[in-house]
Amino acid sequence: MTFDLIANDPHSKARAGVVHTDHGAIETPIFMPVGTAGTVKAVQQRDLKDDIQAQIILGNTYHLYLRPGLEVLSKAGGLHKFNGWDRPILTDSGGYQVYSLSGTRKIKEEGVKFRSHIDGSQHLFSPEGVMDIQRTIGADIIMAFDECTPWPCEYDYAARSLDMTHRWLQRCIQRFDSTEGHYGYSQTLFPIVQGSTFKDLRVKSAEFIAEQGREGNAIGGLSVGEPAELMYEMTELVCDILPQDKPRYLMGVGTPANILENIALGVDMFDCVMPTRNARNGMLFTTQGIMNIANKKWADDFTPIDEELGGYVSTFYSRSYVRHLFHSKEMLGPQIASIHNLTFYLWLVKQARQQILAGTFREWKDRMVKQVMTRL
């Protein structure tokens, strides 16, 4: 994997670049739809390509390991062949799922023992094992195994966790560099910066991760409940340390405003379940602001969901019709909403890229943050 830095915004730390992988190029800044179990919920691959124009999607190591399992994925020829997606894929390491399974897991130096949420069976995720699992899944970009600390978090716990995450990273790197991909194309390992919301720990981690010299780097442990201003403070601190010539991926973020503000701080890659999860609950993000499609005010609004956005579902279906689908509990409602929201997120980062290239990002960002978060 290589990264070309194309432009820097003169009035912020925003940048535009291109990530090159064996499954295609990714123009940054980019948002990556989350396909937890090998599918972006309620969205076909054709919609992801043609309407949403996704350039890369995510898979989840924990969920794919449990279902369909490594044997099936290996026989299929990897996740690309299994789900029919021929563009880049990124897999997380399962560290966040381990964090969220706090009641059924034990963290030790060896790794993490946990019980499956499906059948209660016991499993061990070690740094080496997670590298092997992600080799079998076959994503273009794979993540190091880390511990995602909760927020708020005691300083001593965060410090101990960080040191272990760094030791785990060295084990990940050793295993990754001593093995080959299974399917004839290259894979890339991203380390993850941790340290909760403690400045000295974030600096220590960012410096350690930068020293590893990998092709890209990630920032984890944010967007876990801390105030947005703390997230921005930690992100800026870390981005100022991580190499300029490598892509920076802020994991699990976030709202449209979060994405725009973090682009301004130097982040290149984002993912979040928000556009699809909120879509299934009737929240639509539009170029003019946020709609709760269940509200009565849309009952006789026969205008398209978002004519300015473009894309098939956003310009073909009326607000009234989509509201009817939700009230009737028709599956098509969440499907339309999911495609629409992802189309909006990809539109937003594409607009940001164009503004960076034009040198006008800062002024546009300040205006758009207010606009896209307005309640309609």
Side-chain angles (χ1 to χ4, degrees), residues 31 33 153 156 200 240-241 268 325 344:
F31 179 83
C153 179
D156 287 349
D200 61 326
D240 286 348
I241 296 169
D268 307 295
L325 293 175
F344 168 79

Side-chain angles (χ1 to χ4, degrees), residues 186-202:
S186 62
Q187 294 177 286
T188 297
L189 172 65
F190 278 26
I192 304 172
V193 177
Q194 289 288 353
S196 188
T197 52
F198 301 104
K199 286 185 180 180
D200 61 326
L201 296 184
R202 284 285 171 180

Side-chain angles (χ1 to χ4, degrees), residues 127-128 130-132 135 142 168-181 186-191 211-215:
E128 295 82 5
V130 167
M131 293 300 97
D132 294 346
R135 284 291 199 194
I142 75 175
W168 282 359
L169 171 61
Q170 291 175 315
R171 288 166 60 187
C172 286
I173 289 172
Q174 186 174 3
R175 184 58 152 242
F176 181 81
D177 288 350
S178 64
T179 57
E180 297 288 335
S186 62
Q187 294 177 286
T188 297
L189 172 65
F190 278 26
E211 287 169 3
Q212 306 310 307
R214 309 312 293 192
E215 290 89 354

Side-chain angles (χ1 to χ4, degrees), residues 62-306:
Y62 167 85
H63 288 281
L64 291 168
Y65 163 78
L66 292 175
R67 258 188 328 214
L70 301 184
E71 184 179 353
V72 169
L73 288 168
S74 181
K75 285 181 178 177
L79 183 57
H80 289 90
K81 294 283 181 64
F82 185 60
N83 72 358
W85 180 256
D86 60 3
R87 294 180 182 179
I89 297 176
L90 181 149
T91 43
D92 65 11
S93 66
Y96 183 81
Q97 278 62 45
V98 165
Y99 151 77
S100 63
L101 292 168
S102 56
T104 59
R105 49 91 166 139
K106 291 183 179 178
I107 302 174
K108 296 183 177 180
E109 188 70 32
E110 177 190 10
V112 180
K113 289 181 179 178
F114 64 91
R115 288 188 178 274
S116 163
H117 72 287
I118 299 167
D119 60 9
S121 57
Q122 285 194 318
H123 303 269
L124 170 70
F125 269 9
S126 67
E128 295 82 5
V130 167
M131 293 300 97
D132 294 346
I133 292 167
Q134 290 186 91
R135 284 291 199 194
T136 301
I137 294 171
D140 301 85
I141 300 171
I142 75 175
M143 306 306 297
F145 191 52
D146 64 335
E147 183 190 1
C148 176
T149 51
W151 188 89
C153 179
E154 294 290 334
Y155 180 88
D156 287 349
Y157 183 89
R160 288 196 306 273
S161 172
L162 179 65
D163 288 342
M164 185 174 66
T165 285
H166 288 172
R167 291 192 296 273
W168 282 359
L169 171 61
Q170 291 175 315
R171 288 166 60 187
C172 286
I173 289 172
Q174 186 174 3
R175 184 58 152 242
F176 181 81
D177 288 350
S178 64
T179 57
E180 297 288 335
H182 296 185
Y183 309 113
Y185 54 85
S186 62
Q187 294 177 286
T188 297
L189 172 65
F190 278 26
I192 304 172
V193 177
Q194 289 288 353
S196 188
T197 52
F198 301 104
K199 286 185 180 180
D200 61 326
L201 296 184
R202 284 285 171 180
V203 168
K204 176 182 177 181
S205 188
E207 289 175 344
F208 182 83
I209 266 60
E211 287 169 3
Q212 306 310 307
R214 309 312 293 192
E215 290 89 354
N217 300 295
I219 305 167
L222 295 175
S223 193
V224 292
E226 80 283 355
E229 291 309 316
L230 259 182
M231 179 209 306
Y232 301 145
E233 184 181 352
M234 294 302 113
T235 300
E236 183 170 26
L237 190 67
V238 169
C239 283
D240 286 348
I241 296 169
L242 292 177
Q244 293 287 317
D245 60 347
K246 307 288 177 65
R248 305 173 186 136
Y249 163 32
L250 180 58
M251 305 178 74
V253 177
T255 67
N258 290 158
I259 288 173
L260 291 175
E261 295 292 2
N262 282 297
I263 288 173
L265 300 175
V267 175
D268 307 295
M269 303 168 69
F270 300 88
D271 80 286
C272 191
V273 297
M274 178 172 280
T276 45
R277 179 177 289 169
N278 287 24
R280 297 193 297 275
N281 295 316
M283 178 185 281
L284 303 186
F285 297 99
T286 78
T287 55
Q288 303 306 309
I290 298 171
M291 303 169 59
N292 181 347
I293 201 64
N295 286 353
K296 185 164 176 50
K297 67 187 293 185
W298 312 118
D300 58 357
D301 185 338
F302 303 109
T303 59
I305 300 169
D306 190 352

